[in-house]
Amino acid sequence: REDFTVGTLSSGRGRQELVDLVGAFINPLPLVARLDPDLPFAAVLAGARQTTLDALAHDGLPFDAMCQAARVSRIGARS
């Protein structure tokens, strides 16, 4: 396979009503990277950057909703 997924976390505090609340509002974000051995490293890096920016722009989407939209089943011990 030439693609893989890594996860990162978003603070989950993008909504104004959450700014003053105490607690964890962490939202996991899966980032899919596609490697093409024919691309130069700079192009792969630019793709990874764009994927990260796109994910952060949509970090308000709950992880469960994302899994349902992608029709991916979750394994409780792993996700």
Side-chain angles (χ1 to χ4, degrees):
R1 291 182 61 124
E2 294 180 350
D3 64 335
F4 61 94
T5 304
V6 295
T8 190
L9 300 174
S10 169
S11 68
R13 292 194 175 265
R15 297 187 348 227
Q16 185 62 35
E17 63 269 20
L18 300 177
V19 171
D20 293 328
L21 293 177
V22 175
F25 296 95
I26 297 171
N27 194 24
L29 299 173
L31 306 173
V32 178
R34 290 180 180 85
L35 299 179
D36 181 345
D38 297 327
L39 287 178
F41 180 73
V44 173
L45 192 59
R49 178 183 184 276
Q50 190 60 53
T51 296
T52 302
L53 292 174
D54 291 344
L56 290 171
H58 297 91
D59 70 344
L61 181 64
F63 189 69
D64 288 335
M66 189 182 325
C67 290
Q68 289 174 357
R71 294 189 176 116
V72 175
S73 60
R74 293 181 62 190
I75 300 171
R78 295 177 57 195
S79 60

